[in-house]
Amino acid sequence: MEKFQFYEREINYYETDKMAVVHHSNYARYLEECRIKMLQHYGMPMEMFEEMGYMIPVLELHGEFKESIRFGETIKIVAKIEKVTPLRFYFDYVIYDETMTHIKHKAKTSHCFINSKFQPVSMKKEAPELYEKFLEIVEKGDDNVK
């Protein structure tokens, strides 16, 4: 299984505020876009989870702003699944500039799987093949997230 390298995107004008920098509310969107691309890369597209009857809400989001991101810039987001338990999984992210020499933002999110009744689901019990796949991704590691 090849490692997920990064998610790349260009910043749109409408994502900026009066100070001409990306509004803080957009960072959660960037992280979600990256997370979806990463899961898809590992053969777990969101549609698959939905077809299985699972939803993946964000439980926590922590971010640290390092440098402003501006309209027209291209960012690269490196993501890593840091930890997996039967009920939760945790991501670390680093948002870089296009050359990956400047860190713009660092973030962490935590998630769980829930069913259509919004009840937590133990992936280890209900979908052991998915749980094992998540564990495999964690074991594989990623030294791009620091």
Side-chain angles (χ1 to χ4, degrees):
M1 175 186 336
E2 186 179 322
K3 281 187 184 181
F4 177 77
Q5 296 298 312
F6 55 81
Y7 169 65
E8 183 174 353
R9 90 186 292 290
E10 188 174 337
I11 302 304
N12 298 298
Y13 182 75
Y14 67 82
E15 296 168 316
T16 63
D17 60 19
K18 193 171 183 174
M19 296 182 292
V21 299
V22 169
H23 190 267
H24 66 275
S25 64
N26 289 304
Y27 286 79
R29 291 178 185 176
Y30 302 157
L31 301 178
E32 179 177 48
E33 290 171 11
C34 178
R35 196 168 50 249
I36 288 170
K37 290 293 185 186
M38 181 184 189
L39 291 173
Q40 183 178 5
H41 171 83
Y42 287 119
M44 299 184 292
M46 291 304 295
E47 298 86 358
M48 180 191 75
F49 293 112
E50 291 173 355
E51 287 169 7
M52 295 174 74
Y54 302 127
M55 295 176 280
I56 306 173
V58 175
L59 300 175
E60 297 175 272
L61 167 62
H62 303 278
E64 183 180 353
F65 298 91
K66 300 288 194 176
E67 288 185 14
S68 296
I69 302 173
R70 300 180 182 280
F71 164 67
E73 290 184 0
T74 297
I75 57 172
K76 293 181 178 176
I77 307 173
V78 177
K80 174 183 179 181
I81 301 175
E82 182 65 32
K83 179 181 171 186
V84 175
T85 71
L87 294 173
R88 288 188 178 204
F89 59 104
Y90 303 81
F91 279 85
D92 283 346
Y93 312 83
V94 178
I95 300 178
Y96 291 95
D97 67 336
E98 186 173 18
T99 64
M100 296 185 78
T101 56
H102 292 89
I103 294 175
K104 301 287 194 168
H105 188 77
K106 289 186 173 187
K108 294 180 179 288
T109 59
S110 69
H111 309 264
C112 70
F113 289 96
I114 59 175
N115 60 24
S116 61
K117 296 177 184 176
F118 286 78
Q119 298 168 321
V121 171
S122 170
M123 294 307 286
K124 188 175 183 177
K125 289 180 183 174
E126 293 195 28
E129 68 287 346
L130 285 178
Y131 181 68
E132 289 300 320
K133 192 154 194 171
F134 273 91
L135 288 176
E136 181 183 340
I137 295 166
V138 171
E139 284 178 23
K140 179 183 193 55
D142 189 342
D143 52 6
N144 292 326
V145 177
K146 299 181 181 10

